[in-house]
Amino acid sequence: MEYFYAQDNLSLGQMAARWVAREILACPELVLGLPTGSTPIGMYQYLVRLAQEGLISFTQARTFNLDEYVGLNVDHPQSYAFFMREHFWSKVDLPKGNAHIPRGNVSNPAVECLRYDNAIQKAGGIGLQILGLGLNGHIGFNEPSHNMEIHTHVVDLTAETIQANTRFFPDSSAVPRQAITMGVGNIMQAQKILLLVSGERKRDILNKTFYGPVSTEVPSSILQLHADLTVLTDIKL
Ligand code: F6R
């Protein structure tokens, strides 16, 4: 594991964007695994800037988002598809067909999970997986549990995650109760992982992630076992 400290959230975003840019320049057809949430917003802003300045291009890249809420369609302002369009897809030269995200508003989410896994496999797997870190140690929406799911699956969100995500909805009752998420296996099979962690409130979970036991109760702790993991954080450990 490599660990890099950023002064603040702004420089974390810049560092992450430079990291991704370097990987894209080295391998223009890179398959990227992408997160949503507050943490990566700065990274997307800088990536957009680099792309608009003509320094990088996503024309040959493919992207797979980690997760999507069950029941929200792509035009719902709180859907992750909407977030990606706002922050990234509509602002860079990534071909539309190369941007993938689980479809939340389908009649059979289990079939959608299979379709998504097949699409990842067909793309040759994830080359660089970028992750945020949930307050309870979730990665994607792999929540603390007695077991870890390998493949893309439907997950019941924990009360803690629903509470944390209420800030984006009118109230907690409007937060979807389920999501489709890549599994821990999909994430761990990525060739490289870049974990972004921002804000003092994540100090405790960051410590547990890397200095605690590997446990299904802290899903992010499995990252200790990944061979090529980089952590960018503005938390001084
Ligand atoms: C989102 C995702 C989640 C977030 C995590 C942290 O696609 O996969 O695991 O990365 O909940 O979210 P923020 O960055 O909002 O603290």
Side-chain angles (χ1 to χ4, degrees):
M1 174 184 84
E2 280 197 293
Y3 166 95
F4 292 95
Y5 173 69
Q7 281 292 332
D8 50 31
N9 187 266
L10 192 74
S11 45
L12 182 78
Q14 288 175 341
M15 279 169 76
R18 284 196 205 109
W19 199 276
V20 176
R22 204 186 55 199
E23 295 290 326
I24 281 283
L25 287 169
C27 175
E29 62 281 1
L30 187 64
V31 179
L32 281 164
L34 296 178
T36 54
S38 316
T39 314
I41 289 178
M43 174 190 77
Y44 288 127
Q45 281 170 349
Y46 280 96
L47 278 177
V48 166
R49 189 188 290 181
L50 293 175
Q52 288 177 349
E53 285 171 358
L55 297 170
I56 53 170
S57 166
F58 293 94
T59 50
Q60 296 178 64
R62 280 157 298 169
T63 66
F64 286 87
N65 266 80
L66 281 161
D67 40 21
E68 179 59 285
Y69 288 118
V70 168
L72 301 193
N73 72 40
V74 294
D75 293 322
H76 190 291
Q78 301 311 333
S79 73
Y80 288 167
F82 191 96
F83 173 102
M84 288 307 296
R85 228 174 26 247
E86 285 282 293
H87 292 284
F88 191 59
W89 294 338
S90 65
K91 297 182 171 156
V92 295
D93 55 1
L94 179 74
K96 211 173 168 198
N98 290 13
H100 303 268
I101 189 163
R103 292 176 299 198
N105 202 14
V106 286
S107 55
N108 191 335
V111 171
E112 174 61 7
C113 293
L114 282 175
R115 185 197 69 80
Y116 203 64
D117 271 346
N118 285 335
I120 294 173
Q121 209 179 6
K122 219 172 130 200
I126 306 292
L128 174 62
Q129 177 66 58
I130 302 154
L131 294 174
L133 178 62
L135 275 175
N136 60 4
H138 71 215
I139 45 175
F141 268 137
N142 293 280
E143 299 278 37
S145 165
H146 296 305
N147 64 319
M148 280 185 190
E149 296 272 353
I150 308 275
H151 301 292
T152 302
H153 59 285
V154 177
V155 65
D156 294 329
L157 302 183
T158 60
E160 195 174 3
T161 297
I162 291 167
Q163 185 54 42
N165 289 359
T166 297
R167 66 191 197 276
F168 302 114
F169 290 83
D171 58 70
S172 66
S173 69
V175 184
R177 269 32 189 178
Q178 288 188 313
I180 293 177
T181 180
M182 274 189 204
V184 172
N186 301 102
I187 293 170
M188 289 297 282
Q189 278 163 17
Q191 284 167 25
K192 298 182 184 185
I193 297 182
L194 184 62
L195 175 70
L196 311 179
V197 190
S198 179
E200 264 310 305
R201 66 199 182 110
K202 298 215 176 139
R203 173 179 293 280
D204 183 46
I205 192 61
L206 184 58
N207 265 311
K208 284 190 179 134
T209 297
F210 293 110
Y211 303 116
V214 174
S215 144
T216 58
E217 293 304 326
V218 181
S220 50
S221 62
I222 190 125
L223 297 174
Q224 291 179 30
L225 306 179
H226 197 275
D228 193 337
L229 170 70
T230 303
V231 184
L232 303 186
T233 179
D234 55 14
I235 304 166
K236 238 181 192 151
L237 287 181

